[in-house]
Amino acid sequence: MDGQTGHGAISKLAVRDQLLTARRRRPLAEVGAAARAIADALLDAPEVRRAASVACYVSVGGEPGTTELLDRLVAAGKRVVLPVLLPDNDLDWAPYTGPGSLAPARRGLLEPVTAPLGVEAVATCDAVLVPGLAVGADGVRLGRGGGSYDRALGRVPVGTFTCVLLYDDERLPVVPAEPHDRPVSAAATPSGITRFR
């Protein structure tokens, strides 16, 4: 690890800790209101309205909720695929067909019980919605540090709508970055969609 990368990793740890603490303190009513506002913004976005297939995820803990978003995507006739965490922290993908298609998995996650489609399935989606802790003005996303979504985003064709779901105060001027970090093209927050390029 070179000095630059080491500094980036240390900076990320400090920022992650601050952001996770702020999420734990967020009132439940605010979390619910944010989930509804983000779902509205995404379903109004032309990139999602036009999409036949959408990669998304099941929110956990203090993340902006995705339950309503997932159900509204399915109700709108979208093919929705969700991640399945592999032992090496890579992500496989499987169809979401409703709450009954989910089961508890490792690390407190809910994952689809439908047949997996392979790690490359994310590349076939018209819109890719990902979790994160923050995003910089350049679209660099700060995740939880496992690298799962950076690997998945590396498989997504250039020009695909890639969007991180966040609270408004998690859009920052800059976030610490390392060479492997994959930027996103947009952020969805309760106040709407911000596009980066």
Side-chain angles (χ1 to χ4, degrees), residues 113-124:
V113 293
T114 51
L117 304 169
V119 296
E120 297 294 334
V122 69
T124 67

Side-chain angles (χ1 to χ4, degrees), residues 67-145:
T67 304
E68 180 176 339
L69 172 62
L70 290 170
D71 291 337
R72 288 174 66 185
L73 287 168
V74 170
K78 312 289 182 196
R79 174 181 173 261
V80 177
V81 298
L82 300 177
V84 176
L85 186 65
L86 297 173
D88 67 353
N89 275 350
D90 206 345
L91 298 176
D92 200 336
W93 299 86
Y96 173 74
T97 56
S101 66
L102 298 175
R106 297 183 304 134
R107 298 190 188 172
L109 301 172
L110 283 176
E111 293 179 346
V113 293
T114 51
L117 304 169
V119 296
E120 297 294 334
V122 69
T124 67
C125 293
D126 305 307
V128 178
L129 311 178
V130 298
L133 293 174
V135 71
D138 54 0
V140 172
R141 171 191 151 274
L142 179 67
R144 287 184 177 257

Side-chain angles (χ1 to χ4, degrees), residues 41-56:
L42 283 166
L43 288 156
D44 284 344
E47 298 93 341
V48 175
R49 274 200 326 266
R50 288 192 304 258
S53 60
V54 178
C56 195

